[in-house]
Amino acid sequence: MSRGLILAIESSCDETAAAVVERGRHTLSSVVASQIATHARYGGVVPELASREHLRAVVPVVRAALGQAGIGLADLDAIAVTSGPGLAGALLVGITYAKALAFAAGLPLIAINHLEGHIHAVLLNEREAMRAAELGTPVTDSDDEAALALVVSGGHTHLYLARPTDGAWHYSLVGRTLDDAAGEAYDKVAKLLGLGYPGGPWIDALALHGNPHAVPFAFSQIKTKLHLAGKAPRTKAAKTAPIADLDPHFLFSFSGIKTAVLRYVELHNLRPEAESRREALFTGPEAPERPTIDDALATCDPQTLDLIASFQHAVVGDLMKKTFAAAEALDARRVLVTGGVAANRELRSRFTVEGAARGVPISFPTLALSTDNAAMIAAAAWPRFVEGEFAGQDLSADPSLALGG
Ligand code: KG4
Ligand code: ZN
């Protein structure tokens, strides 16, 4: 009998990842090769460098995933790969290799949307926990699990209603950002404050040392912005779905807060300090090989720490307000928060407190599954494998692939 083993490959952005997962509920291996060191000196992901690094890493990463799982190609039942959204050249590396492996081994190929993968990161954790508690897991997901999912990362800030019907998941888009993703705002604010890339983890750690109420950043209510409908989207994030049909209460906009932080920095003359911090910690001749949070903390004055804490408090508050409002309006049974920004400590604690107060169960992936990985892609592929939903050898990258209707 087949073991239900799926090898997944993920290469949509700056992580080359491969994993082997059994029946969407038991991770045998999950290998992630990060390119952070390559892109850090440019303060963001450089697409051409990402493709080159994926080309270098994909074969050893897949080999390591099979090796750690203790299996060979012949033991697999299918190969899954992220087909979008993401960087075209980066996606193509994973897709091309997955196609070659599937062809050589005579295995079916399964195309997975990266955002669906992030949602399945949470479901995979839950199934693993049930398995560990020896509760067993149902073969298919039960139909009463309708969840409101916030996917919040460097490329996305999207709200979906996710519903399993006879084990197959269906998604409807409920809200999303009109411009920058929340993670992008974290990264841009970190950059302008002279902190490292990616900025989220730096801001997360430094915010603990500032006063979150020092600077009252506000998110104005987004008007319908119907003037945007039908026009070319302004950003990568905005390309993945139309906005005209969405409730404006569930739309996000994070480019304004980035500009507000910049204005505050200029008004209070914090720029020279930020520049000397970047020099000292990240680029200068005396820069440590791996700057620590304590190194960064030592270069921040109280005003900067207050600014960082206030920025984070405002972003998390806005994410929380709209996510819970959508969950309530759509009668979702529970809330899932996933994607790189879901690793954030303040976000986790405030969502947890709010969920408890409202009686809405809330789930996050483990930290390792919050950021990009391939185990989540293999988990999302399982229901498609069961349904026999396979991709052809003509599968190509779709950089702006949307999820749900
Ligand atoms: O999901 P992910 O690895 O890649 C994308 O699909 O974008 O998310 C990366 C994003 C980056 O913007 C990074 O700054 C942010 O997640 N991030 C965080 C934290 N860890 C990563 N943001 C806030 N707090 C964190 N602890
Ligand atoms: Zn991601």
Side-chain angles (χ1 to χ4, degrees), residues 12 114 118 153 371-372 376:
S12 64
H114 181 79
H118 274 300
S153 71
T371 47
D372 289 349
M376 67 186 196

Side-chain angles (χ1 to χ4, degrees), residues 87 160 272 351 401:
L87 302 168
Y160 294 98
F351 268 80
L401 182 65

Side-chain angles (χ1 to χ4, degrees), residues 14 65 172 378:
D14 59 348
S172 22

